[in-house]
Amino acid sequence: MNSIVSNFLNSFIVLFAVLSLAFIPRSANAAELVSLKDYLKKELAGAAKMSKEIFSVSADKKKELSKIAPDAQDEQFTFYYAKKADGALDKACTVVAQQGKEGPMSIGVCFDNVGLVQSVTILSSEEEHGKKVAEESWLKQFKGKKVSDAFQVGRDVDGVSGATMSSKAVAETLRKSSFAFSNFVGNKK
């Protein structure tokens, strides 16, 4: 009988500990959904050559950027390239820090060699109410869009009901990364 009571108490303690963890507030750091390494492995797989380039945003470029993303704090953009055997650009990916409604987000955007969006991936996020913006079913709307598109919720981007601010944060990331591709990568092809 004592072993039954002991087993029950042990099971109850484990269950209580597990349930308690669910109610502990998360830290201020964004929850990682996919690592940068895994993201780049997936996006640049099959490339004959790969490289990385960092671009600093000049004061003039910051003024231009602020016209399309008024709260942008970006000092630099890093692009990761997939290149063909002859060195020609095949794909360019960047990861942009973005403030969501509930905390920081890290969003990856990949472009083909002419500036069409190939993919958008949420690498990390603290969005509780905006979790749907990390779903492929919503993110796929960006594929094939041009760097010259507006990326405005309600205009050429469908927002997520109940997650308007998170939707706008992702759209702003597309504006910033498109700006960076156009200004730094597009003219180097």
Side-chain angles (χ1 to χ4, degrees), residues 90-92 109-119 142-149 151 178 181:
D90 189 36
K91 190 183 230 184
V109 181
C110 290
F111 300 94
D112 70 7
N113 64 333
V114 296
L116 295 178
V117 175
Q118 294 301 295
S119 66
F142 297 106
K143 186 172 178 145
K145 288 191 175 285
K146 301 174 191 166
V147 291
S148 59
D149 286 349
F151 298 105
S178 293
F181 181 90

Side-chain angles (χ1 to χ4, degrees), residues 55 61 64-65 68 77 79 81 89 92 94 109 111-117 145-149 151 174-189:
F55 300 97
K61 292 293 181 195
E64 287 180 47
L65 182 57
I68 59 167
F77 288 93
F79 276 89
Y81 303 124
L89 180 66
T94 188
V109 181
F111 300 94
D112 70 7
N113 64 333
V114 296
L116 295 178
V117 175
K145 288 191 175 285
K146 301 174 191 166
V147 291
S148 59
D149 286 349
F151 298 105
L174 269 290
R175 290 193 303 275
K176 293 191 311 185
S177 56
S178 293
F179 172 87
F181 181 90
S182 297
N183 284 275
F184 302 123
V185 178
N187 55 10
K188 296 182 70 150
K189 296 182 281 178

Side-chain angles (χ1 to χ4, degrees), residues 38-168:
D38 289 341
Y39 167 69
L40 293 174
K41 271 185 186 179
K42 176 185 169 232
E43 292 297 337
L44 304 179
K49 299 177 183 179
M50 289 183 253
S51 63
K52 169 183 165 180
E53 193 169 13
I54 300 171
F55 300 97
S56 294
V57 182
S58 69
D60 290 340
K61 292 293 181 195
K62 282 182 187 179
K63 286 179 186 175
E64 287 180 47
L65 182 57
S66 71
K67 292 177 184 174
I68 59 167
D71 297 324
Q73 300 295 315
D74 306 87
E75 298 288 326
Q76 65 184 25
F77 288 93
T78 302
F79 276 89
Y80 304 88
Y81 303 124
K83 295 183 177 181
K84 298 175 184 173
D86 65 359
L89 180 66
D90 189 36
K91 190 183 230 184
C93 300
T94 188
V95 176
V96 177
Q98 180 66 42
Q99 182 61 40
K101 180 180 181 184
E102 299 175 59
M105 301 172 79
S106 180
I107 303 170
V109 181
C110 290
F111 300 94
D112 70 7
N113 64 333
V114 296
L116 295 178
V117 175
Q118 294 301 295
S119 66
V120 178
T121 304
I122 309 297
L123 278 70
S124 64
S125 173
E126 274 297 306
E127 304 301 283
E128 283 298 318
H129 294 93
K131 284 182 180 178
K132 289 193 182 247
V133 301
E135 294 178 5
E136 179 60 30
S137 58
W138 185 75
L139 293 170
K140 70 181 181 183
Q141 71 177 305
F142 297 106
K143 186 172 178 145
K145 288 191 175 285
K146 301 174 191 166
V147 291
S148 59
D149 286 349
F151 298 105
Q152 294 286 341
V153 173
R155 187 168 162 196
D156 62 342
V157 173
D158 294 328
V160 173
S161 180
T164 303
M165 297 303 289
S166 301
S167 301
K168 287 181 176 181

